[in-house]
Amino acid sequence: YQRRVHGLFTYNVVRFAQFIVDDVVLNPALSTSDIQMTLLRCGAMLLLAILTMDFLSGLFHWAMDTWGTIESPFFGAFIRSFREHHVAPTAMCQHDVIETNGDNCFVCIPTAVWMTFATIRAVDPSLTSNVSSGLLWSVEGFAYTLGLILFASVTNQLHKWSHTPKPGKIVTTLQRIRIILPKSTHNAHHSVPFDQNYCITTGWMNPILETIRFWRVLEFVIRALTGWVPRADDMKWTVQKD
């Protein structure tokens, strides 16, 4: 099914590029400044999508690391994988591309299908006479949503590369200039008690969230309301055997 998901993603990327060219760059109704501002807004929305996904990856990571046990309903299987990852961080480097990225791609399917439907509707002459008027959203909204699902689908791959001893020259360069999750940033998470640098897409949100003590404040509030102790179960798994 991952090939089908990649096909959906590829289709949406191509359609987005066509929207940009046909409805923005080559649109005679738009002035040069209008075109520049639209492209700038699309770029800003893509950047916002990356930051959003980085934050969401941290939120899910923090939740799985901090609360529940492997016996927890529904989330138990996810929690187990996070606990085991703390014990053997590089074990995920042995996973193939489907095992690494399959779950994330699966979660993205509904949105990718919806986006595909929207773009097909946009170019169906029986429904609309021009691309932009047929869109179910603005081109900026399309850019944001596309960026969100693309980075969601590769988040675990980026995480895996942060544990891979020799991920390749291109990946290493991207890590070094902090375009994707750097090893040094994620290595800080893998220190007992595993309570920092949860964001694993690009890691860009980690310094901000750590500076404002976002996770500690959130834990304080949840503990005050529920009595749950953060990382109580995770502490049982913290003897690393990697």
Side-chain angles (χ1 to χ4, degrees), residues 23 77 106 143 150 171 238:
D23 269 25
F106 184 79
L150 285 176
V171 173
T238 53

Side-chain angles (χ1 to χ4, degrees), residues 11 15 19 115-125 127-128:
Y11 175 82
R15 293 299 299 131
F19 295 150
M115 292 177 71
T116 301
F117 168 78
T119 58
I120 291 174
R121 176 183 183 275
V123 296
D124 187 335
L127 296 173
T128 179

Side-chain angles (χ1 to χ4, degrees), residues 83 104 200:
R83 298 289 186 271
N104 287 32
I200 57 173

Side-chain angles (χ1 to χ4, degrees), residues 7 37 42-43 46 58 61 63 81 111 123 156 181 194 224 231:
M37 286 305 300
C42 286
L46 284 170
H61 188 180
S81 68
T111 303
V123 296
N156 218 33
L181 182 66
F194 308 97
R231 288 171 295 282

Side-chain angles (χ1 to χ4, degrees), residues 154-189:
V154 300
T155 286
N156 218 33
Q157 184 65 56
L158 301 179
H159 178 205
K160 175 181 175 179
W161 281 334
S162 73
H163 289 287
T164 304
K166 296 180 179 180
K169 291 183 178 180
I170 295 177
V171 173
T172 300
T173 300
L174 292 174
Q175 289 174 334
R176 186 172 64 251
I177 62 178
R178 299 182 179 273
I179 297 298
I180 62 176
L181 182 66
K183 291 186 177 185
S184 57
T185 297
H186 191 57
N187 284 344
H189 172 74

